[in-house]
Amino acid sequence: MPIQMIEASQAKQNLTVVGFRPNGDSFKGTVCEATPFEAKMGLLADFRYTEDGGDLSISCVLDTSTGRLLDQVGVSSEEDLFTEVEAVDTVLFHASQGGSHERMKAYLSFFEYVLSDLPEVFEGLVGGSRVAGEDLAVQYEDLRGRTFEFLPSHALLVLAERALKSDRSGASLQVRKMAERAGVALDRAIAVALG
């Protein structure tokens, strides 16, 4: 799988993404991102994890205000997104670089455990809403015996944001979208897997 790197952080701009759905329907949408790569990868991931989403192929990116062609490197969900396990593993690696406070270490340790023992929780995640009164927080005890309580989706979002500071590839963008769009589904899957 080709891995493209995101250029150094730039000001966000309105970008028009053009492509098509697997059934042949054309797609055109505007997103606010810093680079065409961020626009493409973010939109692919966004479609994968939304309830009415799915696969998408992107053919080009235009500057919305001028119509100027900025990028015509085609990408698709099938070819260019990571598997969820690969994406989370990449995020854990990059989020662990440098110093981490205790809560961040607990998040890292928790998801290392999930990847090794419960990787099935990442299969088929799509968005959804919380049910009133539904408590999906986990209690996780670290190696020092300290207990942390958190929503797995929130912890994963924090890790993705941390990874984005050093990993400028699509994995961190994908995991951020997964945590934002399919966070409830992830929290439920982990709650069920933990019994």
Side-chain angles (χ1 to χ4, degrees):
M1 169 178 163
I3 296 179
Q4 297 181 32
M5 299 305 283
I6 302 169
E7 297 169 17
S9 186
Q10 304 170 5
K12 291 190 175 189
Q13 58 188 322
N14 285 332
L15 302 172
T16 299
V17 180
V18 179
F20 54 92
R21 303 298 301 270
N23 65 3
D25 289 349
S26 62
F27 171 84
K28 188 174 188 181
T30 300
V31 295
C32 186
E33 291 292 354
T35 66
F37 178 74
E38 288 177 301
K40 292 188 300 184
M41 297 308 291
L43 200 55
L44 289 181
D46 201 37
F47 264 74
R48 177 179 276 185
Y49 302 118
T50 55
E51 284 183 276
D52 58 348
D55 291 331
L56 182 68
S57 293
I58 295 172
S59 53
C60 67
V61 179
L62 310 169
D63 181 312
T64 302
S65 60
T66 66
R68 184 171 61 96
L69 178 66
L70 299 176
D71 182 301
Q72 58 183 7
V73 176
V75 294
S76 69
S77 305
E78 188 176 320
E79 295 291 324
D80 296 289
L81 287 181
F82 292 82
T83 67
E84 283 65 29
V85 169
E86 290 171 331
V88 172
D89 190 46
T90 301
V91 162
L92 295 185
F93 173 77
H94 288 285
S96 68
Q97 303 304 302
S100 295
H101 57 76
E102 299 307 317
R103 182 164 283 275
M104 183 70 74
K105 288 179 184 174
Y107 292 167
L108 287 163
S109 177
F110 175 76
F111 275 101
E112 286 167 0
Y113 161 73
V114 170
L115 278 182
S116 65
D117 286 26
L118 309 169
E120 67 277 3
V121 301
F122 296 107
E123 294 174 11
L125 295 175
V126 293
S129 304
R130 292 201 190 284
V131 175
E134 186 176 32
D135 182 11
L136 299 174
V138 299
Q139 289 194 350
Y140 180 71
E141 186 176 315
D142 70 9
L143 295 174
R144 294 184 177 179
R146 289 171 296 202
T147 301
F148 296 87
E149 185 171 350
F150 53 86
L151 283 171
S153 58
H154 172 75
L156 192 59
L157 181 59
V158 169
L159 292 172
E161 294 289 353
R162 168 91 179 244
L164 273 166
K165 293 177 181 175
S166 62
D167 170 39
R168 305 306 290 179
S169 72
S172 299
L173 290 169
Q174 182 177 338
V175 172
R176 180 174 68 185
K177 287 291 185 180
M178 182 196 329
E180 290 172 346
R181 294 293 187 191
V184 174
L186 176 63
D187 293 340
R188 283 191 186 123
I190 288 176
V192 169
L194 292 175

